[in-house]
mmCIF file of all heavy atoms in Angstrom:
data_model
loop_
_atom_site.group_PDB
_atom_site.id
_atom_site.type_symbol
_atom_site.label_atom_id
_atom_site.label_comp_id
_atom_site.label_asym_id
_atom_site.label_seq_id
_atom_site.Cartn_x
_atom_site.Cartn_y
_atom_site.Cartn_z
ATOM 1 N N ASP A 167 18.662 9.236 8.592
ATOM 2 C CA ASP A 167 17.390 9.799 8.886
ATOM 3 C C ASP A 167 16.721 10.233 7.548
ATOM 4 O O ASP A 167 17.324 11.036 6.803
ATOM 5 C CB ASP A 167 17.625 11.018 9.814
ATOM 6 C CG ASP A 167 16.314 11.512 10.386
ATOM 7 O OD1 ASP A 167 15.308 11.571 9.687
ATOM 8 O OD2 ASP A 167 16.333 12.001 11.563
ATOM 9 N N CYS A 168 15.533 9.773 7.365
ATOM 10 C CA CYS A 168 14.808 10.099 6.065
ATOM 11 C C CYS A 168 14.661 11.508 5.840
ATOM 12 O O CYS A 168 14.678 11.972 4.727
ATOM 13 C CB CYS A 168 13.535 9.290 6.016
ATOM 14 S SG CYS A 168 12.343 9.679 7.322
ATOM 15 N N ARG A 169 14.523 12.292 6.953
ATOM 16 C CA ARG A 169 14.358 13.763 6.817
ATOM 17 C C ARG A 169 15.592 14.446 6.146
ATOM 18 O O ARG A 169 15.473 15.454 5.457
ATOM 19 C CB ARG A 169 13.952 14.331 8.143
ATOM 20 C CG ARG A 169 12.681 13.888 8.695
ATOM 21 C CD ARG A 169 12.476 14.207 10.106
ATOM 22 N NE ARG A 169 13.396 13.487 10.979
ATOM 23 C CZ ARG A 169 13.333 13.489 12.356
ATOM 24 N NH1 ARG A 169 12.385 14.165 12.964
ATOM 25 N NH2 ARG A 169 14.187 12.856 13.050
ATOM 26 N N ASP A 170 16.751 13.872 6.374
ATOM 27 C CA ASP A 170 17.933 14.382 5.859
ATOM 28 C C ASP A 170 18.289 13.911 4.469
ATOM 29 O O ASP A 170 18.803 14.587 3.631
ATOM 30 C CB ASP A 170 19.244 14.042 6.747
ATOM 31 C CG ASP A 170 19.056 14.583 8.142
ATOM 32 O OD1 ASP A 170 18.299 15.627 8.350
ATOM 33 O OD2 ASP A 170 19.584 13.974 9.051
ATOM 34 N N ILE A 171 17.884 12.604 4.264
ATOM 35 C CA ILE A 171 18.377 11.947 3.034
ATOM 36 C C ILE A 171 17.361 11.968 1.874
ATOM 37 O O ILE A 171 17.731 12.236 0.689
ATOM 38 C CB ILE A 171 18.721 10.454 3.401
ATOM 39 C CG1 ILE A 171 19.889 10.442 4.385
ATOM 40 C CG2 ILE A 171 18.941 9.642 2.163
ATOM 41 C CD1 ILE A 171 20.284 9.043 4.878
ATOM 42 N N MET A 172 16.139 11.672 2.195
ATOM 43 C CA MET A 172 15.157 11.445 1.070
ATOM 44 C C MET A 172 14.821 12.698 0.222
ATOM 45 O O MET A 172 14.727 12.542 -0.962
ATOM 46 C CB MET A 172 13.904 10.777 1.627
ATOM 47 C CG MET A 172 14.104 9.398 2.153
ATOM 48 S SD MET A 172 14.812 8.253 0.925
ATOM 49 C CE MET A 172 13.343 7.362 0.455
ATOM 50 N N PRO A 173 14.811 13.885 0.826
ATOM 51 C CA PRO A 173 14.572 15.060 -0.060
ATOM 52 C C PRO A 173 15.551 15.132 -1.205
ATOM 53 O O PRO A 173 15.195 15.646 -2.242
ATOM 54 C CB PRO A 173 14.640 16.176 0.880
ATOM 55 C CG PRO A 173 14.183 15.631 2.209
ATOM 56 C CD PRO A 173 14.816 14.235 2.261
ATOM 57 N N TRP A 174 16.754 14.702 -1.005
ATOM 58 C CA TRP A 174 17.794 14.784 -2.060
ATOM 59 C C TRP A 174 17.481 13.882 -3.253
ATOM 60 O O TRP A 174 18.096 13.973 -4.271
ATOM 61 C CB TRP A 174 19.207 14.424 -1.458
ATOM 62 C CG TRP A 174 19.602 15.419 -0.463
ATOM 63 C CD1 TRP A 174 19.497 15.333 0.857
ATOM 64 C CD2 TRP A 174 20.208 16.720 -0.774
ATOM 65 N NE1 TRP A 174 20.050 16.435 1.473
ATOM 66 C CE2 TRP A 174 20.540 17.297 0.507
ATOM 67 C CE3 TRP A 174 20.596 17.357 -1.936
ATOM 68 C CZ2 TRP A 174 21.002 18.572 0.563
ATOM 69 C CZ3 TRP A 174 21.168 18.639 -1.815
ATOM 70 C CH2 TRP A 174 21.402 19.200 -0.603
ATOM 71 N N HIS A 175 16.611 12.919 -3.054
ATOM 72 C CA HIS A 175 16.349 11.924 -4.134
ATOM 73 C C HIS A 175 15.056 12.222 -4.791
ATOM 74 O O HIS A 175 14.565 11.373 -5.622
ATOM 75 C CB HIS A 175 16.420 10.509 -3.570
ATOM 76 C CG HIS A 175 17.771 10.222 -3.094
ATOM 77 N ND1 HIS A 175 18.751 9.789 -3.856
ATOM 78 C CD2 HIS A 175 18.281 10.359 -1.834
ATOM 79 C CE1 HIS A 175 19.873 9.646 -3.147
ATOM 80 N NE2 HIS A 175 19.625 9.943 -1.869
ATOM 81 N N ALA A 176 14.401 13.374 -4.491
ATOM 82 C CA ALA A 176 13.111 13.723 -5.070
ATOM 83 C C ALA A 176 13.347 14.043 -6.650
ATOM 84 O O ALA A 176 14.456 14.339 -6.949
ATOM 85 C CB ALA A 176 12.559 14.951 -4.342
ATOM 86 N N PRO A 177 12.304 13.978 -7.438
ATOM 87 C CA PRO A 177 10.910 13.764 -7.082
ATOM 88 C C PRO A 177 10.535 12.292 -7.119
ATOM 89 O O PRO A 177 11.052 11.516 -8.022
ATOM 90 C CB PRO A 177 10.114 14.486 -8.183
ATOM 91 C CG PRO A 177 10.995 14.441 -9.398
ATOM 92 C CD PRO A 177 12.425 14.400 -8.857
ATOM 93 N N PHE A 178 9.724 11.795 -6.284
ATOM 94 C CA PHE A 178 9.194 10.449 -6.234
ATOM 95 C C PHE A 178 7.826 10.401 -6.877
ATOM 96 O O PHE A 178 7.034 11.312 -6.716
ATOM 97 C CB PHE A 178 9.098 9.973 -4.764
ATOM 98 C CG PHE A 178 10.377 9.939 -4.051
ATOM 99 C CD1 PHE A 178 10.715 10.967 -3.183
ATOM 100 C CD2 PHE A 178 11.264 8.841 -4.222
ATOM 101 C CE1 PHE A 178 11.924 10.889 -2.487
ATOM 102 C CE2 PHE A 178 12.431 8.822 -3.519
ATOM 103 C CZ PHE A 178 12.793 9.841 -2.673
ATOM 104 N N ASP A 179 7.551 9.344 -7.592
ATOM 105 C CA ASP A 179 6.191 9.109 -8.159
ATOM 106 C C ASP A 179 5.242 8.765 -7.038
ATOM 107 O O ASP A 179 4.110 9.095 -7.102
ATOM 108 C CB ASP A 179 6.284 7.979 -9.200
ATOM 109 C CG ASP A 179 6.982 8.463 -10.444
ATOM 110 O OD1 ASP A 179 6.362 9.111 -11.284
ATOM 111 O OD2 ASP A 179 8.174 8.090 -10.533
ATOM 112 N N MET A 180 5.782 8.022 -6.032
ATOM 113 C CA MET A 180 4.921 7.600 -4.984
ATOM 114 C C MET A 180 5.807 7.549 -3.688
ATOM 115 O O MET A 180 6.978 7.133 -3.822
ATOM 116 C CB MET A 180 4.372 6.242 -5.261
ATOM 117 C CG MET A 180 3.663 5.568 -4.109
ATOM 118 S SD MET A 180 3.504 3.879 -4.400
ATOM 119 C CE MET A 180 2.735 3.326 -2.841
ATOM 120 N N ILE A 181 5.275 7.928 -2.574
ATOM 121 C CA ILE A 181 5.937 7.783 -1.302
ATOM 122 C C ILE A 181 5.239 6.802 -0.426
ATOM 123 O O ILE A 181 4.043 6.919 -0.283
ATOM 124 C CB ILE A 181 6.221 9.092 -0.630
ATOM 125 C CG1 ILE A 181 7.284 9.945 -1.426
ATOM 126 C CG2 ILE A 181 6.747 8.959 0.794
ATOM 127 C CD1 ILE A 181 7.552 11.339 -0.866
ATOM 128 N N LEU A 182 5.969 5.869 0.074
ATOM 129 C CA LEU A 182 5.418 4.940 1.097
ATOM 130 C C LEU A 182 6.027 5.265 2.406
ATOM 131 O O LEU A 182 7.255 5.482 2.485
ATOM 132 C CB LEU A 182 5.835 3.569 0.622
ATOM 133 C CG LEU A 182 5.032 2.438 1.112
ATOM 134 C CD1 LEU A 182 3.755 2.232 0.149
ATOM 135 C CD2 LEU A 182 5.784 1.140 1.188
ATOM 136 N N ALA A 183 5.231 5.407 3.441
ATOM 137 C CA ALA A 183 5.809 5.708 4.739
ATOM 138 C C ALA A 183 5.163 4.878 5.783
ATOM 139 O O ALA A 183 3.880 4.850 5.923
ATOM 140 C CB ALA A 183 5.527 7.202 5.006
ATOM 141 N N ASP A 184 5.979 4.191 6.514
ATOM 142 C CA ASP A 184 5.470 3.295 7.604
ATOM 143 C C ASP A 184 6.241 3.703 8.887
ATOM 144 O O ASP A 184 7.156 2.980 9.337
ATOM 145 C CB ASP A 184 5.733 1.799 7.258
ATOM 146 C CG ASP A 184 5.157 0.847 8.276
ATOM 147 O OD1 ASP A 184 4.378 1.286 9.182
ATOM 148 O OD2 ASP A 184 5.580 -0.293 8.274
ATOM 149 N N PRO A 185 5.926 4.923 9.366
ATOM 150 C CA PRO A 185 6.729 5.409 10.530
ATOM 151 C C PRO A 185 6.347 4.719 11.806
ATOM 152 O O PRO A 185 5.249 4.124 11.812
ATOM 153 C CB PRO A 185 6.330 6.880 10.549
ATOM 154 C CG PRO A 185 4.912 6.938 9.968
ATOM 155 C CD PRO A 185 4.832 5.807 8.982
ATOM 156 N N PRO A 186 7.155 4.871 12.856
ATOM 157 C CA PRO A 186 6.693 4.367 14.162
ATOM 158 C C PRO A 186 5.386 5.134 14.511
ATOM 159 O O PRO A 186 5.331 6.352 14.326
ATOM 160 C CB PRO A 186 7.866 4.815 15.050
ATOM 161 C CG PRO A 186 9.042 5.017 14.208
ATOM 162 C CD PRO A 186 8.457 5.391 12.840
ATOM 163 N N TYR A 187 4.414 4.364 14.951
ATOM 164 C CA TYR A 187 3.078 5.006 15.174
ATOM 165 C C TYR A 187 3.057 5.848 16.422
ATOM 166 O O TYR A 187 2.264 6.802 16.543
ATOM 167 C CB TYR A 187 2.008 3.923 15.324
ATOM 168 C CG TYR A 187 1.702 3.035 14.141
ATOM 169 C CD1 TYR A 187 0.748 2.005 14.207
ATOM 170 C CD2 TYR A 187 2.376 3.152 12.969
ATOM 171 C CE1 TYR A 187 0.489 1.163 13.165
ATOM 172 C CE2 TYR A 187 2.117 2.322 11.883
ATOM 173 C CZ TYR A 187 1.127 1.300 11.962
ATOM 174 O OH TYR A 187 0.898 0.514 10.954
ATOM 175 N N GLY A 188 3.964 5.629 17.324
ATOM 176 C CA GLY A 188 3.994 6.365 18.605
ATOM 177 C C GLY A 188 2.776 6.085 19.519
ATOM 178 O O GLY A 188 2.392 6.938 20.290
ATOM 179 N N ASP A 189 2.279 4.884 19.395
ATOM 180 C CA ASP A 189 1.129 4.477 20.229
ATOM 181 C C ASP A 189 1.446 3.801 21.522
ATOM 182 O O ASP A 189 0.608 3.673 22.373
ATOM 183 C CB ASP A 189 0.261 3.438 19.411
ATOM 184 C CG ASP A 189 -0.529 4.083 18.273
ATOM 185 O OD1 ASP A 189 -0.592 5.342 18.246
ATOM 186 O OD2 ASP A 189 -1.150 3.309 17.491
ATOM 187 N N THR A 190 2.683 3.361 21.670
ATOM 188 C CA THR A 190 3.039 2.587 22.845
ATOM 189 C C THR A 190 4.206 3.285 23.519
ATOM 190 O O THR A 190 4.841 4.192 22.974
ATOM 191 C CB THR A 190 3.480 1.146 22.441
ATOM 192 O OG1 THR A 190 4.692 1.217 21.693
ATOM 193 C CG2 THR A 190 2.404 0.436 21.692
ATOM 194 N N SER A 191 4.581 2.722 24.696
ATOM 195 C CA SER A 191 5.751 3.312 25.387
ATOM 196 C C SER A 191 6.998 2.523 25.026
ATOM 197 O O SER A 191 8.035 2.718 25.695
ATOM 198 C CB SER A 191 5.465 3.222 26.914
ATOM 199 O OG SER A 191 5.181 1.933 27.274
ATOM 200 N N LEU A 192 6.939 1.590 24.030
ATOM 201 C CA LEU A 192 8.133 0.909 23.636
ATOM 202 C C LEU A 192 9.194 1.822 23.106
ATOM 203 O O LEU A 192 8.889 2.851 22.489
ATOM 204 C CB LEU A 192 7.831 -0.154 22.555
ATOM 205 C CG LEU A 192 6.763 -1.217 23.000
ATOM 206 C CD1 LEU A 192 6.296 -1.979 21.788
ATOM 207 C CD2 LEU A 192 7.478 -2.137 24.022
ATOM 208 N N ALA A 193 10.486 1.490 23.396
ATOM 209 C CA ALA A 193 11.572 2.438 23.111
ATOM 210 C C ALA A 193 11.599 2.774 21.624
ATOM 211 O O ALA A 193 11.956 3.904 21.307
ATOM 212 C CB ALA A 193 12.842 1.757 23.521
ATOM 213 N N TRP A 194 11.355 1.784 20.716
ATOM 214 C CA TRP A 194 11.507 2.068 19.243
ATOM 215 C C TRP A 194 10.292 2.846 18.714
ATOM 216 O O TRP A 194 10.293 3.323 17.587
ATOM 217 C CB TRP A 194 11.748 0.804 18.460
ATOM 218 C CG TRP A 194 10.659 -0.240 18.701
ATOM 219 C CD1 TRP A 194 10.823 -1.323 19.660
ATOM 220 C CD2 TRP A 194 9.405 -0.400 18.124
ATOM 221 N NE1 TRP A 194 9.707 -2.098 19.622
ATOM 222 C CE2 TRP A 194 8.809 -1.549 18.672
ATOM 223 C CE3 TRP A 194 8.628 0.321 17.197
ATOM 224 C CZ2 TRP A 194 7.570 -1.977 18.305
ATOM 225 C CZ3 TRP A 194 7.438 -0.150 16.753
ATOM 226 C CH2 TRP A 194 6.857 -1.335 17.367
#
Side-chain angles (χ1 to χ4, degrees):
D167 190 321
C168 59
R169 295 168 291 189
D170 300 332
I171 293 177
M172 293 303 257
W174 293 99
H175 298 276
F178 297 99
D179 290 278
M180 170 196 175
I181 289 178
L182 201 86
D184 183 17
Y187 297 178
D189 283 351
T190 66
S191 54
L192 296 169
W194 53 264

